[in-house]
């Protein structure tokens, strides 16, 4: 039930970077905020007046999605999405958020100690068998980054027209991104590395032309002191469900169909009324969906 690409976050250097910079950088442009909901016509607003409580469970180990603030309380992208859901459904007084270790979330939901989980739940066949899942509210794009060109007017995406033929791409060994590179860019010369840090080092040293990885982790790296303004996104974001999955959803018990539909409704409304955009911009100062050439 964990994230398809959980390898992108190692709760070490990257976590520190995320927590340090998420509230400090210029906000992303509206054009870089993705849309995930496909409801062309909203159904009638669900009536949850008879619901005694909507308690969301989360964990504290997945920044910037869910982590502990300075007072040890749950905060992050997922937490604000949960609060937005409750606001749309007009049940703020019934809305609760509780943090537990990841390993305890499923048991707590099944034991009726809560009504929903919002902690980076992957949409997968296994998850669909265990839970009722809302529509996706986030997907992890695959991105290339490159060193910032000397010529500011240079178009980094030109190389992609030739499938990166003759160019070297660092990618972490044993990841979905390695498989993605081999499938979509077989003409590129793959240089496998043992870690994301090794990929950053290879790119900065000039031994490779590109580094391919998860767009979220790359967006925080690009704006970190470690990058020192070296690099930018190259080409646009790639969303291939065969390699990086269908995204994250809110999980409820299988039998709670009405609640699942109500949550999906609320997510669609949040995209339409700007609430989702507001939350996204708060936690992703440099959007992982930003256009080619975007960087500090």
């Amino acid at each position: 039930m964990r994230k398809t690409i959980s390898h992108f976050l190692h709760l070490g250097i990257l976590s520190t970077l995320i927590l340090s910079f998420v509230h400090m950088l210029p906000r992303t442009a509206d054009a870089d905020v993705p849309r995930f909901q496909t409801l062309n016509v909203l159904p009638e607003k669900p009536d949850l007046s008879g619901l005694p409580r909507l308690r969301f469970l989360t964990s504290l180990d997945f920044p910037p999605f869910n982590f502990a603030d300075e007072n040890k309380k749950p905060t992050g992208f997922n937490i604000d999405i949960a609060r937005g859901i409750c606001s749309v459904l007009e049940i703020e007084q019934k809305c609760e958020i509780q943090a537990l270790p990841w390993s305890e979330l499923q048991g707590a939901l099944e034991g009726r100690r809560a009504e929903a989980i919002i902690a980076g739940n992957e949409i997968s066949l296994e998850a669909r068998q265990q839970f009722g899942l809302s529509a996706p509210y986030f997907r992890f794009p695959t991105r290339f980054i490159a060193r910032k060109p000397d010529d500011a007017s240079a178009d980094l995406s030109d190389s992609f027209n030739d499938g990166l033929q003759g160019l070297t791409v660092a990618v972490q060994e044993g990841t979905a991104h390695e498989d993605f590179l081999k499938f979509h860019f077989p003409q590129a010369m793959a240089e496998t590395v043992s870690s994301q840090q090794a990929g950053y080092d290879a790119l900065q040293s000039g031994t490779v032309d590109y580094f391919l990885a998860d767009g979220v982790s790359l967006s925080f790296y690009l704006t970190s002191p470690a990058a020192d303004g070296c690099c930018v996104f190259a080409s646009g974001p790639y969303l291939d469900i065969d390699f990086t999955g269908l995204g994250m959803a809110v999980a409820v018990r299988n039998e709670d169909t009405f609640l699942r539909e109500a949550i999906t409704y609320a997510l669609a409304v949040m995209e339409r009324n700007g609430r989702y955009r507001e939350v996204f911009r708060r936690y992703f100062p440099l959007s992982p969906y930003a256009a080619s050439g975007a960087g500090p």
Side-chain angles (χ1 to χ4, degrees):
M1 188 175 81
R2 201 49 160 166
K3 289 69 65 179
T4 299
I5 56 170
S6 58
H7 64 267
F8 95 87
L9 182 62
H10 295 291
L11 295 176
I13 296 174
L14 180 56
S15 282
T16 302
L17 292 175
I18 289 174
L19 296 179
S20 297
F21 288 94
V22 72
H23 295 299
M24 297 172 56
L25 298 170
R27 298 312 183 198
T28 186
D30 286 354
D32 298 332
V33 178
R35 294 182 64 89
F36 301 114
Q37 303 310 311
T38 58
L39 292 177
N40 294 322
V41 179
L42 287 175
E44 184 177 349
K45 183 178 179 180
D47 180 8
L48 295 184
S49 59
L51 185 73
R53 177 192 70 185
L54 177 50
R55 176 179 291 168
F56 288 92
L57 296 177
T58 191
S59 60
L60 300 176
D61 61 351
F62 190 35
F65 296 95
N66 30 273
F67 58 97
D69 66 13
E70 60 274 13
N71 297 315
K72 308 301 181 183
K73 293 183 179 180
T75 191
F77 179 85
N78 283 335
I79 311 309
D80 284 359
I81 291 295
R83 293 191 176 113
I85 290 169
C86 290
S87 177
V88 169
L89 298 175
E90 298 184 281
I91 54 170
E92 293 98 323
Q93 300 304 315
K94 301 178 181 181
C95 194
E96 302 176 12
I97 298 171
Q98 179 182 0
L100 293 173
W102 171 262
S103 60
E104 298 179 17
L105 296 180
Q106 182 175 347
L109 182 67
E110 293 174 349
R112 298 190 173 276
R113 288 187 281 150
E115 287 65 54
I117 300 174
I118 185 164
N121 303 75
E122 171 196 358
I123 300 175
S124 67
L125 178 59
E126 179 185 4
R128 290 189 186 280
Q129 292 171 341
Q130 295 174 324
F131 306 101
L133 298 177
S134 73
Y137 64 89
F138 193 89
R139 288 183 179 141
F140 292 86
T142 297
R143 299 300 306 259
F144 290 86
I145 59 172
R147 292 184 303 280
K148 194 178 294 184
D150 295 332
D151 180 0
S153 64
D155 188 352
L156 290 170
S157 63
D158 284 347
S159 299
F160 291 83
N161 296 330
D162 299 323
L164 300 179
Q165 185 172 6
L167 296 173
T168 305
V169 181
V171 64
Q172 189 171 346
E173 185 176 12
T175 64
H177 300 113
E178 182 185 12
D179 297 333
F180 173 94
L181 181 65
K182 291 178 179 178
F183 183 83
H184 287 290
F185 297 94
Q187 299 179 82
M189 295 184 292
E191 182 73 31
T192 56
V193 293
S194 60
S195 66
Q196 285 205 254
Q197 186 59 55
Y200 299 144
D201 294 342
L203 187 62
Q204 285 205 38
S205 68
T207 58
V208 299
D209 299 297
Y210 296 96
F211 178 41
L212 176 70
D214 159 61
V216 173
S217 57
L218 292 179
S219 72
F220 284 100
Y221 167 72
L222 290 178
T223 51
S224 72
D228 194 27
C230 72
C231 309
V232 293
F233 279 127
S235 83
Y238 294 90
L239 290 169
D240 189 329
I241 63 174
D242 291 330
F243 295 98
T244 51
L246 291 166
M248 300 193 308
V250 180
V252 301
R253 288 181 290 273
N254 268 320
E255 63 268 25
D256 292 341
T257 304
F258 183 72
L259 180 57
R260 173 181 58 81
E261 293 175 349
I263 290 172
T264 291
Y265 165 88
L267 290 170
V269 171
M270 288 177 65
E271 283 199 358
R272 296 189 184 200
N273 68 13
R275 180 72 176 260
Y276 182 88
R277 179 175 64 249
E278 175 189 338
V279 174
F280 186 94
R281 293 176 65 190
R282 185 179 306 139
Y283 290 99
F284 301 102
L286 174 60
S287 172
Y289 287 84
S292 173

